[in-house]
Amino acid sequence: MARRRKLTNPLGLAVLAMLMGGPMHPYQIARLLKHRGKDDSIKIRYGSLYTVVQNLERQGFVEAEGTVRAGHRPERTVYRLTDDGRRELEDRIRELISEPVKEYPIFTSALSLVAVIHPDELAGLLAERLQVLEIEIAATTGVVDHAVAHRLPRLFLLETEHGLAMKRAEAEWVRGLMRELADGTFPDLKFWRAWHETGEFPGELADTDWAQADQAVLIQREAYHAPPPGRTDRPGEAEQPGQAEREVDETD
Amino acid sequence: MARRRKLTNPLGLAVLAMLMGGPMHPYQIARLLKHRGKDDSIKIRYGSLYTVVQNLERQGFVEAEGTVRAGHRPERTVYRLTDDGRRELEDRIRELISEPVKEYPIFTSALSLVAVIHPDELAGLLAERLQVLEIEIAATTGVVDHAVAHRLPRLFLLETEHGLAMKRAEAEWVRGLMRELADGTFPDLKFWRAWHETGEFPGELADTDWAQADQAVLIQREAYHAPPPGRTDRPGEAEQPGQAEREVDETD
DNA sequence: CTCCGTATACTCGTAACCGAATATACGTGA
DNA sequence: TCACGTATATTCGGTTACGAGTATACGGAG
């Protein structure tokens, strides 16, 4: 048997779950997943599906039970779940439920680089985002209401409810930040504006310990470095918005 | 110039942002990012860094300004940000702030397949998750407090505050679900338990319209199919936990 | 009856990611 | 002074993801 590694691929796990209802060929698995609305929480791409299914077979989590063909269409392989596959599925779901996994949402990444945007412009961008979020929240609420009306058990709606809770939390956070930007209670707004408008990092912040620690990282062992970065003939280019960040260490 | 595509790679955007402070070589960019704690919101891997930097160069967002060497160490290329790169960075950050991007968090995926777990066991797994979440929340709160004490501007903490808000929301949601599982107010608990304990899908749900729509998806044009999946010699194997999901269509 | 859009079903070539390896240099402890 | 662990700095080979292409078949409209 091929060397087996832990399966954490969501599409792979979904394939195993669908096969618990009986053998199927890959395209049919995808069709069932989409029909059940699982494509909202699991990325389903045909390009990946066949590779994922082959990997599951190689790892012994599924096995081919035959190939059928209708006319001259591409033939299709029907797969069944193995006992190992069922165990792996259950073990992985347990693990994914009980242990948070470190992820890097793209909005969080963008927020960490948001200093490159003028604060007044940021307010407008957040307003746009909030509009879209509110539409998504309304749409998802509609989905939940419709499901309830059709007696779909909440067991099959947990991921939708969770997603809804997270969207609501993000909308709330965005509203709070917008409020602070609008009424001027967001601290250091003057410095942020000035930084964009003059292109120079404010002097009164340059002597804080984190700003100096920042500089220290830039200036490493001199014997090994090119001239210090940022030292160009253009005044003010150094310490542009987008850098001079905090040096606070965080636990991962 | 190479054909340019929109840059949405977070590491690429982070590289551009760091270069706003002046030219640097790749390893130094990574060091500065880590020093500023950006590795908490942006995945930084040396294996990807050099490829990403080369792609940025090919796309004209950065340009090499020279190669230096100290002793017999590997030589290193110093890169500078171009005007195109600065524009691309600002444009992409605007877009990522204003338009939510569809993502597939692994916990949401796991929730969509959670029917394979017995509800009593699920309660315990959620309790474990909640414990870890509360530790992470405490740790992140400590990071924020420490940063504030060191006069780090909140501008440089937005992604941490946002992350904190999202963790709190998830913890709240997990507590709510645990409460419903514990006090029995979660609907259909009996059916979920019975499904696991007998291995048979409850008869009273089998005639709901979504359950029948589910069956319809499984039974497609008969001329093209192998015998219906799940029809095996083992009684009860069809309709195992993990399938028989909702057929409610959601907007993407 | 014919044609065309869509459904069914699968695959390939390319791009991206990254773990682990490589090589030199420095600093600290014995 | 020497040795070793760690820092600095980059690269390679393997794996995964997937957009777009391929081919056959069906159903509806004209």
Side-chain angles (χ1 to χ4, degrees):
Chain A
M1 185 183 295
R3 180 173 58 83
R4 181 173 295 166
R5 39 199 277 195
K6 190 192 292 180
L7 175 68
T8 55
N9 180 318
L11 182 53
L13 293 173
V15 166
L16 297 184
M18 294 305 102
L19 290 178
M20 284 183 78
M24 278 181 282
H25 59 81
Y27 187 82
Q28 195 174 14
I29 295 172
R31 204 147 44 83
L32 187 60
L33 282 167
K34 292 186 180 218
H35 167 75
R36 292 178 175 175
K38 295 311 181 189
D39 53 339
D40 186 57
S41 52
I42 296 164
K43 183 181 275 194
I44 301 172
R45 292 289 184 273
Y46 291 110
S48 347
L49 177 64
Y50 292 83
T51 312
V52 165
V53 170
Q54 278 166 356
N55 288 345
L56 292 174
E57 185 182 20
R58 192 179 71 243
Q59 290 169 301
F61 298 144
V62 305
E63 62 193 8
E65 73 167 15
T67 307
V68 290
R69 185 173 212 163
H72 293 314
R73 273 170 161 172
E75 66 182 12
R76 58 187 192 276
T77 307
V78 174
Y79 294 90
R80 78 163 65 246
L81 186 66
T82 62
D83 288 339
D84 281 345
R86 185 188 181 118
R87 260 193 296 279
E88 180 73 10
L89 171 63
E90 292 171 357
D91 285 349
R92 294 290 73 72
I93 295 298
R94 286 187 189 100
E95 185 176 341
L96 292 175
I97 293 293
S98 60
E99 299 168 33
V101 171
K102 174 66 180 173
E103 294 190 279
Y104 301 85
I106 194 75
F107 182 56
T108 316
S109 306
L111 283 175
S112 74
L113 305 174
V114 84
V116 307
I117 301 293
H118 192 283
D120 295 342
E121 186 177 13
L122 176 62
L125 299 172
L126 291 171
E128 290 181 44
R129 184 181 189 87
L130 187 58
Q131 258 193 325
V132 177
L133 274 174
E134 285 172 344
I135 292 169
E136 287 178 359
I137 289 168
T140 309
T141 304
V143 164
V144 172
D145 291 345
H146 180 261
V148 166
H150 282 70
R151 282 188 64 204
L152 193 73
R154 272 186 64 207
L155 165 59
F156 303 142
L157 285 166
L158 285 178
E159 75 274 17
T160 307
E161 293 183 6
H162 174 264
L164 197 51
M166 302 310 285
K167 282 187 200 294
R168 282 185 172 128
E170 174 159 305
E172 195 56 36
W173 186 85
V174 167
R175 276 190 212 99
L177 179 54
M178 285 174 63
R179 197 176 305 125
E180 290 188 82
L181 290 171
D183 63 22
T185 54
F186 188 85
D188 306 311
L189 263 182
K190 284 200 183 71
F191 120 74
W192 188 357
R193 277 202 184 94
W195 191 10
H196 270 267
E197 286 151 19
T198 70
E200 286 173 33
F201 196 71
E204 69 268 31
L205 289 174
D207 66 347
T208 54
D209 50 5
W210 54 268
Q212 301 211 340
D214 233 41
Q215 284 299 317
V217 168
L218 289 172
I219 303 168
Q220 205 65 359
R221 291 185 193 92
E222 298 193 1
Y224 191 53
H225 286 289
R231 293 237 173 263
T232 66
D233 57 349
R234 282 206 255 160
E237 185 177 30
E239 302 287 30
Q240 292 278 326
Q243 38 79 42
E245 301 275 340
R246 59 192 163 92
E247 51 83 21
V248 178
D249 292 318
E250 294 174 16
T251 52
D252 274 359
Chain B
M1 185 183 293
R3 179 175 58 82
R4 182 174 295 166
R5 42 201 273 193
K6 189 192 293 179
L7 175 69
T8 55
N9 179 318
L11 181 54
L13 293 173
V15 166
L16 297 184
M18 293 305 102
L19 290 179
M20 284 183 77
M24 276 182 282
H25 57 80
Y27 186 83
Q28 196 174 12
I29 295 171
R31 205 147 44 86
L32 187 60
L33 282 167
K34 291 185 177 216
H35 167 75
R36 290 178 176 175
K38 296 312 181 191
D39 53 338
D40 187 57
S41 52
I42 295 164
K43 182 181 276 196
I44 301 172
R45 293 290 183 271
Y46 292 111
S48 349
L49 176 66
Y50 291 82
T51 311
V52 165
V53 170
Q54 277 168 352
N55 288 346
L56 293 175
E57 185 181 22
R58 193 178 71 242
Q59 290 169 301
F61 299 144
V62 304
E63 63 193 6
E65 77 168 11
T67 308
V68 288
R69 184 173 211 164
H72 293 317
R73 274 170 161 170
E75 65 183 12
R76 59 188 192 275
T77 307
V78 173
Y79 293 89
R80 77 163 66 245
L81 187 65
T82 63
D83 288 338
D84 282 345
R86 185 190 182 115
R87 262 192 295 279
E88 180 73 9
L89 171 63
E90 292 171 358
D91 285 348
R92 294 289 75 71
I93 296 298
R94 286 186 190 101
E95 184 176 340
L96 292 173
I97 293 294
S98 60
E99 299 168 33
V101 171
K102 174 66 181 172
E103 294 192 276
Y104 301 84
I106 192 75
F107 182 56
T108 317
S109 304
L111 283 174
S112 74
L113 305 174
V114 83
V116 308
I117 301 294
H118 192 285
D120 294 342
E121 186 179 13
L122 176 62
L125 299 173
L126 291 171
E128 290 181 43
R129 185 181 189 87
L130 187 57
Q131 259 194 323
V132 177
L133 275 174
E134 284 170 344
I135 292 169
E136 287 178 359
I137 288 168
T140 308
T141 304
V143 163
V144 172
D145 290 346
H146 179 261
V148 167
H150 281 71
R151 284 187 61 205
L152 193 73
R154 274 187 61 207
L155 166 58
F156 303 141
L157 284 166
L158 285 178
E159 76 273 18
T160 307
E161 293 182 5
H162 175 263
L164 197 53
M166 302 310 283
K167 282 187 203 289
R168 284 186 171 128
E170 175 160 304
E172 196 55 37
W173 185 86
V174 168
R175 277 190 211 100
L177 179 56
M178 284 174 63
R179 200 174 304 126
E180 290 187 83
L181 291 171
D183 63 22
T185 54
F186 189 84
D188 306 309
L189 262 183
K190 283 199 181 71
F191 120 77
W192 187 357
R193 280 203 183 93
W195 190 10
H196 270 268
E197 285 152 17
T198 69
E200 286 172 36
F201 196 72
E204 70 267 30
L205 289 175
D207 64 349
T208 53
D209 51 4
W210 55 265
Q212 302 210 338
D214 232 41
Q215 285 299 317
V217 167
L218 289 171
I219 304 168
Q220 205 66 359
R221 291 186 193 90
E222 298 193 0
Y224 191 54
H225 285 290
R231 293 237 176 265
T232 67
D233 58 349
R234 284 205 255 159
E237 186 176 27
E239 302 288 32
Q240 291 278 325
Q243 36 80 41
E245 302 276 340
R246 61 192 164 91
E247 51 84 20
V248 177
D249 293 318
E250 295 173 14
T251 53
D252 272 3

mmCIF file of all heavy atoms in Angstrom, chain B residues 136-150:
data_model
loop_
_atom_site.group_PDB
_atom_site.id
_atom_site.type_symbol
_atom_site.label_atom_id
_atom_site.label_comp_id
_atom_site.label_asym_id
_atom_site.label_seq_id
_atom_site.Cartn_x
_atom_site.Cartn_y
_atom_site.Cartn_z
ATOM 1 N N GLU B 136 -6.210 31.148 22.541
ATOM 2 C CA GLU B 136 -5.769 32.023 21.448
ATOM 3 C C GLU B 136 -6.301 33.440 21.640
ATOM 4 O O GLU B 136 -5.604 34.426 21.372
ATOM 5 C CB GLU B 136 -6.237 31.455 20.103
ATOM 6 C CG GLU B 136 -5.456 30.220 19.678
ATOM 7 C CD GLU B 136 -5.969 29.634 18.358
ATOM 8 O OE1 GLU B 136 -6.939 30.182 17.787
ATOM 9 O OE2 GLU B 136 -5.396 28.621 17.910
ATOM 10 N N ILE B 137 -7.539 33.547 22.085
ATOM 11 C CA ILE B 137 -8.117 34.874 22.327
ATOM 12 C C ILE B 137 -7.338 35.604 23.420
ATOM 13 O O ILE B 137 -7.004 36.794 23.291
ATOM 14 C CB ILE B 137 -9.614 34.745 22.703
ATOM 15 C CG1 ILE B 137 -10.426 34.341 21.470
ATOM 16 C CG2 ILE B 137 -10.149 36.043 23.308
ATOM 17 C CD1 ILE B 137 -11.845 33.896 21.759
ATOM 18 N N ALA B 138 -7.010 34.896 24.492
ATOM 19 C CA ALA B 138 -6.239 35.506 25.578
ATOM 20 C C ALA B 138 -4.866 35.942 25.070
ATOM 21 O O ALA B 138 -4.386 37.041 25.380
ATOM 22 C CB ALA B 138 -6.098 34.526 26.739
ATOM 23 N N ALA B 139 -4.233 35.100 24.295
ATOM 24 C CA ALA B 139 -2.899 35.416 23.773
ATOM 25 C C ALA B 139 -2.958 36.651 22.873
ATOM 26 O O ALA B 139 -2.114 37.544 22.953
ATOM 27 C CB ALA B 139 -2.332 34.227 23.008
ATOM 28 N N THR B 140 -3.934 36.702 22.003
ATOM 29 C CA THR B 140 -4.035 37.820 21.073
ATOM 30 C C THR B 140 -4.392 39.104 21.814
ATOM 31 O O THR B 140 -3.896 40.181 21.482
ATOM 32 C CB THR B 140 -5.088 37.524 19.988
ATOM 33 O OG1 THR B 140 -4.804 36.239 19.400
ATOM 34 C CG2 THR B 140 -5.053 38.573 18.888
ATOM 35 N N THR B 141 -5.249 38.987 22.841
ATOM 36 C CA THR B 141 -5.570 40.160 23.651
ATOM 37 C C THR B 141 -4.298 40.682 24.312
ATOM 38 O O THR B 141 -4.077 41.897 24.396
ATOM 39 C CB THR B 141 -6.614 39.799 24.725
ATOM 40 O OG1 THR B 141 -7.760 39.249 24.073
ATOM 41 C CG2 THR B 141 -7.034 41.025 25.519
ATOM 42 N N GLY B 142 -3.458 39.774 24.782
ATOM 43 C CA GLY B 142 -2.180 40.169 25.378
ATOM 44 C C GLY B 142 -1.300 40.893 24.378
ATOM 45 O O GLY B 142 -0.636 41.885 24.727
ATOM 46 N N VAL B 143 -1.303 40.417 23.139
ATOM 47 C CA VAL B 143 -0.495 41.063 22.102
ATOM 48 C C VAL B 143 -0.985 42.498 21.875
ATOM 49 O O VAL B 143 -0.185 43.429 21.763
ATOM 50 C CB VAL B 143 -0.581 40.250 20.783
ATOM 51 C CG1 VAL B 143 -0.107 41.086 19.607
ATOM 52 C CG2 VAL B 143 0.222 38.969 20.901
ATOM 53 N N VAL B 144 -2.313 42.656 21.818
ATOM 54 C CA VAL B 144 -2.872 43.992 21.591
ATOM 55 C C VAL B 144 -2.537 44.914 22.759
ATOM 56 O O VAL B 144 -2.116 46.057 22.567
ATOM 57 C CB VAL B 144 -4.401 43.914 21.381
ATOM 58 C CG1 VAL B 144 -5.016 45.302 21.335
ATOM 59 C CG2 VAL B 144 -4.715 43.151 20.093
ATOM 60 N N ASP B 145 -2.703 44.410 23.970
ATOM 61 C CA ASP B 145 -2.414 45.229 25.152
ATOM 62 C C ASP B 145 -0.950 45.664 25.173
ATOM 63 O O ASP B 145 -0.622 46.818 25.464
ATOM 64 C CB ASP B 145 -2.740 44.453 26.429
ATOM 65 C CG ASP B 145 -4.246 44.265 26.605
ATOM 66 O OD1 ASP B 145 -5.006 44.957 25.889
ATOM 67 O OD2 ASP B 145 -4.650 43.444 27.451
ATOM 68 N N HIS B 146 -0.097 44.740 24.854
ATOM 69 C CA HIS B 146 1.343 45.029 24.840
ATOM 70 C C HIS B 146 1.679 46.080 23.786
ATOM 71 O O HIS B 146 2.462 47.000 24.017
ATOM 72 C CB HIS B 146 2.106 43.731 24.566
ATOM 73 C CG HIS B 146 3.587 43.891 24.509
ATOM 74 N ND1 HIS B 146 4.286 43.987 23.328
ATOM 75 C CD2 HIS B 146 4.511 43.994 25.485
ATOM 76 C CE1 HIS B 146 5.581 44.134 23.578
ATOM 77 N NE2 HIS B 146 5.747 44.141 24.886
ATOM 78 N N ALA B 147 1.047 45.939 22.638
ATOM 79 C CA ALA B 147 1.293 46.881 21.552
ATOM 80 C C ALA B 147 0.819 48.283 21.941
ATOM 81 O O ALA B 147 1.506 49.278 21.692
ATOM 82 C CB ALA B 147 0.578 46.418 20.280
ATOM 83 N N VAL B 148 -0.348 48.348 22.569
ATOM 84 C CA VAL B 148 -0.885 49.636 23.000
ATOM 85 C C VAL B 148 0.049 50.279 24.022
ATOM 86 O O VAL B 148 0.347 51.473 23.964
ATOM 87 C CB VAL B 148 -2.308 49.448 23.578
ATOM 88 C CG1 VAL B 148 -2.756 50.699 24.317
ATOM 89 C CG2 VAL B 148 -3.278 49.100 22.460
ATOM 90 N N ALA B 149 0.541 49.449 24.939
ATOM 91 C CA ALA B 149 1.443 49.961 25.965
ATOM 92 C C ALA B 149 2.712 50.534 25.341
ATOM 93 O O ALA B 149 3.344 51.432 25.894
ATOM 94 C CB ALA B 149 1.797 48.865 26.960
ATOM 95 N N HIS B 150 3.101 50.009 24.207
ATOM 96 C CA HIS B 150 4.292 50.497 23.531
ATOM 97 C C HIS B 150 3.982 51.571 22.484
ATOM 98 O O HIS B 150 4.805 51.855 21.626
ATOM 99 C CB HIS B 150 5.033 49.338 22.851
ATOM 100 C CG HIS B 150 5.845 48.530 23.823
ATOM 101 N ND1 HIS B 150 5.282 47.710 24.763
ATOM 102 C CD2 HIS B 150 7.184 48.424 23.981
ATOM 103 C CE1 HIS B 150 6.238 47.137 25.473
ATOM 104 N NE2 HIS B 150 7.403 47.552 25.027
#
